[in-house]
Amino acid sequence: MQALGQKNAKPKPPIYDEESREGLRRAGRFNGQLLDFVRPHVKAGVTTLELDRLCYEYTMDHGHIPACLGYKGYPNTICTSVNEVVCHGIPNNTPLREGDIVNVDVTTIVDGWHGDSSETFLIEPVTEDARRLVQAAFDSMHVGIDAIHPFGKLTEIGRAIERFARLRGYAVVQEYQGHGLGREFHQEPGIPHYVPKLNPSQVILEPGMCFTVEPMINTGTWRTMLDKRDKWTVRTMDLSLSAQFEHTILVTDAGPEILTTTEHGPKTGHKF
Ligand code: MF3
Ligand code: CO
Ligand code: CO
């Protein structure tokens, strides 16, 4: 996710040509493959550091680059955000336990192009409250993706997500948002998962734009706090549960193309 900055002049989001789109497709495809690879390992008893090592080795073995490692000083390959952690959780030595929900967020650079996606996993058995939240986070991502139309408004994505989450009784995180990506990890356009009251984006979605949709949905307050010690881990202010899913999307003449689909992961309509 991209933290909201105070930049005033926003560069125009890049429009990718067919050759660049192929690069983005390859990066997205590998990133989805990486989630497929790690999925069977996300079980009670495994530590998030073990998941991190598995992802590091899989990425390197395929000749690609873990985008997070060293990014703005980030210490690991993946982000693992457990329960009340909203995003940017640093892998550690604590084994996952039954009842946990954990978001695994992976980003890879393939031949200079970025792919970025994440899933929240249920360490079964989980409470019905947790399952319902994860379902809402997944469905809200797809509701947001479905709001993408060539030459439509960028703000429709956040509008759809916010409306959906509210109807289910949840709050949408505002301080972190989706982002354009390509040769850079985080670039224009920013994709808020709600409709900002102040300065909503004027961007029109054009074929050839590429960005993530990655709503973070909370059972309690939308407000978050940054861990004072590690300066990465973001938690809900009230320590209520948070869940998230992420895909990288290419806008095409035919509509949104999901670049990070997985073979074995949840597809739209999936029931957790
Ligand atoms: N993958 C995250 C995103 O969706 C970003 C993680 S940045 C890191 O944008 F430095 F924490 F890895
Ligand atoms: Co992202
Ligand atoms: Co990500």
Side-chain angles (χ1 to χ4, degrees):
M1 289 44 50
Q2 188 182 35
L4 292 182
Q6 301 91 343
K7 277 171 279 159
N8 13 20
K10 284 187 188 161
K12 281 208 142 216
I15 308 292
Y16 295 110
D17 62 13
E18 196 43 51
E19 193 185 331
S20 304
R21 294 182 198 190
E22 278 305 316
L24 286 161
R25 286 190 179 104
R26 281 196 301 274
R29 200 176 306 133
F30 177 79
N31 214 62
Q33 217 177 292
L34 175 55
L35 272 178
D36 272 333
F37 160 74
V38 76
R39 186 175 299 103
H41 298 279
V42 188
K43 292 265 140 59
V46 77
T47 69
T48 47
L49 255 182
E50 281 161 359
L51 300 177
D52 184 75
R53 183 183 56 79
L54 287 166
C55 289
Y56 175 79
E57 282 170 8
Y58 187 87
T59 303
M60 298 303 276
D61 287 349
H62 286 76
H64 303 317
I65 299 172
C68 293
L69 191 58
Y71 176 78
K72 298 188 175 170
Y74 188 75
N76 289 82
T77 294
I78 64 175
C79 297
T80 49
S81 302
V82 180
N83 297 334
E84 75 282 2
V85 178
V86 171
C87 62
H88 303 168
I90 299 176
N92 63 29
N93 271 318
T94 309
L96 293 173
R97 303 190 321 177
E98 289 182 358
D100 285 343
I101 60 171
V102 55
N103 175 277
V104 175
D105 192 336
V106 304
T107 312
T108 313
I109 310 175
V110 174
D111 300 331
W113 296 99
H114 286 75
D116 186 6
S117 52
S118 80
E119 279 177 37
T120 297
F121 297 93
L122 307 171
I123 311 300
E124 300 280 12
V126 302
T127 64
E128 280 317 299
D129 282 356
R131 189 184 317 282
R132 191 173 169 273
L133 173 71
V134 171
Q135 186 74 55
F138 181 73
D139 293 345
S140 78
M141 174 184 68
H142 279 292
V143 159
I145 294 171
D146 291 344
I148 297 169
H149 302 285
F151 307 106
K153 290 183 183 156
L154 184 152
T155 47
E156 292 308 313
I157 301 170
R159 190 184 311 283
I161 291 170
E162 192 173 38
R163 187 191 302 130
F164 181 87
R166 280 212 184 136
L167 273 171
R168 297 248 178 132
Y170 296 127
V172 178
V173 169
Q174 301 191 0
E175 288 118 319
Y176 301 86
Q177 53 180 22
H179 49 92
L181 80 173
R183 292 204 172 272
E184 304 279 333
F185 193 162
H186 290 122
Q187 60 186 33
E188 289 300 322
I191 309 287
H193 304 108
Y194 69 108
V195 185
K197 301 277 175 294
L198 223 58
N199 300 321
S201 168
Q202 301 298 317
V203 166
I204 298 295
L205 301 174
E206 288 180 47
M209 283 185 186
C210 184
F211 51 79
T212 68
V213 176
E214 49 179 306
M216 289 139 274
I217 305 295
N218 302 349
T219 53
T221 178
W222 59 270
R223 289 179 193 278
T224 66
M225 56 186 176
L226 183 65
D227 189 287
K228 282 195 191 68
R229 274 175 231 140
D230 68 29
K231 304 266 181 50
W232 279 105
T233 309
V234 178
R235 293 186 179 80
T236 54
M237 194 89 101
D238 56 5
L239 300 181
S240 66
L241 281 186
S242 184
Q244 177 184 30
F245 287 82
E246 173 176 28
H247 269 312
T248 299
I249 308 295
L250 176 69
V251 182
T252 78
D253 290 303
E257 179 180 335
I258 302 178
L259 301 187
T260 40
T261 43
T262 55
E263 203 172 323
H264 304 293
K267 311 276 184 309
T268 183
H270 180 87
K271 296 293 171 241
F272 288 87

